[in-house]
Amino acid sequence: MAFPITRLRRLRGNEVTRNMIRETQLTRNDLIMPLFVRPGKGVQNPINSMPGNFQLSVDLLVEKCKELYNKGVQSVLLFGIPEHKDEHGLVACEHNGIVQQATRAIKKELPDLYVIADVCNCEYTTHGHCGSIINGDVDNDSTLITLGKQSVSLAEAGVDMIAPSDMMDGRVGHIRKALDDNDFSNMPIMAYSAKYASAFYGPFRDAAESAPQFGNRATYQMDPANSNEAIREVELDIFEGADIVMVKPALSYLDIIRKVKDTFNIPICAYNVSGEFSMVKAAAEKGWIDENRITLEILTSIKRAGSDIIISYHTQDIIDQLK
Ligand code: PBG
């Protein structure tokens, strides 16, 4: 029925009806807060390009987690900055690795806070690439071995979920098998499936001290121009046993989120990455935008696009406002 019988403004005229017909509800259940942990005691290094975010030593990380948990944050994603790095990122597989220590400390105080560990080598290698270098490029199959070890070690430390972000071929299957062989068949894997070689990761690389020392990540992360390839990546990860698939970054890739949603029947996560966060913070500092409204609009749009779960540095700022 056309105008004047149909008038879409009728249901917009009252807050109650607007609330009744709202199609997308953002809730506390949807959000994951990323955190950075480093060695030491009492260390709280501000990350300049990400206002409100810090590299924290384990003791202060636990305090931060308590604060977040009391505000209603249910889940955190941990990234580690180790004391020493090595060529293959083996330091990430140690029993007393920085994320392993952090996980044990958090779980002791807050057993119900859901702890997800990012699995990748870039924070742990001297060259800053996501795997072992052979003949000038990241070698796929030897990298799988360290990723499997890292995952098992993190599982032993008590994480609730493993999230591989390296973009090696076959890593989900390899990690699944490594976990299963070590009695962790119930450990979920959230795979960074469609992870693009993005300039939006700039601030994160300062935060995690993980910038590549030569070249770039274009030989393993996806070309931002591609969308059909994202479907192949997601399909492979599902086939290899991923429990949740991820699209990353989020905002320039809302079309990819929607396409994955329409193609597969599996929970989807999107990563609202560091550069997306920093742009909002910078514009807000200048007084050019309303930070709170923009943040809610951005996160709602990611959910509307089809994401069930959102990883976002904004989580700590807006969780209070959500149910
Ligand atoms: C590690 C990793 C990166 C991010 C998450 N895991 C960086 C990268 O691939 O260079 C980026 C997160 C962000 O920008 O917030 N591979």
Side-chain angles (χ1 to χ4, degrees):
M1 222 36 99
F3 177 83
I5 305 294
T6 299
R7 290 177 183 268
L8 293 179
R9 289 185 58 187
R10 280 187 202 118
L11 294 181
R12 289 181 203 144
N14 184 297
E15 204 187 337
V16 174
T17 48
R18 284 198 299 272
N19 289 343
M20 278 175 174
I21 65 164
R22 184 162 298 122
E23 297 175 40
T24 307
Q25 309 277 355
L26 191 67
T27 76
R28 291 179 176 186
N29 298 339
D30 307 330
L31 296 173
I32 299 170
M33 178 71 198
L35 295 171
F36 300 93
V37 59
R38 68 167 308 131
K41 243 193 158 138
V43 182
Q44 178 172 5
N45 295 344
I47 301 160
N48 292 334
S49 54
M50 299 172 68
N53 290 265
F54 301 86
Q55 295 179 339
L56 300 169
S57 52
V58 172
D59 53 335
L60 296 188
L61 179 82
V62 172
E63 292 312 305
K64 178 77 184 180
C65 285
K66 283 186 196 161
E67 175 199 316
L68 293 171
Y69 187 72
N70 290 335
K71 276 198 207 185
V73 174
Q74 300 174 31
S75 174
V76 295
L77 172 63
L78 298 184
F79 293 96
I81 300 116
E83 189 120 34
H84 307 288
K85 304 191 185 217
D86 61 74
E87 222 177 305
H88 302 287
L90 286 166
V91 64
C93 313
E94 288 172 1
H95 177 78
N96 268 332
I98 184 68
V99 176
Q100 287 85 338
Q101 285 181 42
T103 302
R104 283 189 212 101
I106 293 171
K107 283 292 175 184
K108 199 167 155 214
E109 300 281 328
L110 298 163
D112 294 332
L113 180 66
Y114 198 86
V115 176
I116 306 172
D118 182 271
V119 167
C120 192
N121 285 326
C122 63
E123 297 118 80
Y124 306 98
T125 50
T126 41
H127 43 74
H129 276 287
C130 301
S132 299
I133 303 292
I134 298 183
N135 297 329
D137 193 13
V138 173
D139 183 69
N140 196 87
D141 297 10
S142 57
T143 299
L144 297 182
I145 297 166
T146 45
L147 294 171
K149 279 191 189 151
Q150 189 184 139
S151 301
V152 170
S153 172
L154 291 163
E156 283 167 354
V159 301
D160 296 292
M161 183 184 276
I162 295 288
S165 68
D166 52 281
M167 286 300 277
M168 296 303 112
D169 286 325
R171 94 277 207 206
V172 173
H174 185 90
I175 291 171
R176 181 73 272 154
K177 182 159 190 318
L179 291 171
D180 291 357
D181 288 348
N182 287 277
D183 287 331
F184 293 110
S185 53
N186 286 325
M187 175 70 58
I189 298 177
M190 176 162 73
Y192 289 67
S193 301
K195 178 174 176 181
Y196 287 86
S198 172
F200 285 100
Y201 307 151
F204 173 93
R205 291 177 188 174
D206 297 335
E209 301 179 11
S210 64
Q213 300 302 302
F214 66 90
N216 54 45
R217 303 211 202 289
T219 69
Y220 44 104
Q221 298 181 348
M222 280 186 59
D223 181 341
N226 293 356
S227 125
N228 293 328
E229 190 188 348
I231 297 301
R232 295 189 72 195
E233 283 284 4
V234 169
E235 191 170 39
L236 285 166
D237 284 357
I238 295 173
F239 189 68
E240 290 175 29
D243 300 285
I244 299 171
V245 294
M246 197 195 299
V247 175
K248 178 184 171 195
L251 284 185
S252 291
Y253 301 86
L254 293 177
D255 59 323
I256 308 297
I257 297 172
R258 172 46 57 184
K259 196 162 169 168
V260 171
K261 180 76 178 173
D262 288 342
T263 311
F264 302 101
N265 176 16
I266 188 165
I268 301 173
C269 179
Y271 201 141
N272 176 218
V273 300
S274 57
E276 300 175 275
F277 170 83
S278 300
M279 291 194 304
V280 171
K281 285 284 178 185
E285 259 174 32
K286 290 201 170 244
W288 291 345
I289 56 165
D290 177 334
E291 178 179 340
N292 194 52
R293 284 190 58 204
I294 289 250
T295 300
L296 289 168
E297 187 172 333
I298 284 174
L299 297 175
T300 302
S301 76
I302 296 169
K303 195 163 177 202
R304 189 197 63 229
S307 195
D308 302 287
I309 310 164
I310 304 167
I311 302 168
S312 177
Y313 305 95
H314 292 294
T315 298
Q316 61 181 353
D317 298 328
I318 54 121
I319 197 85
D320 293 332
Q321 299 162 56
L322 305 179
K323 292 204 183 92

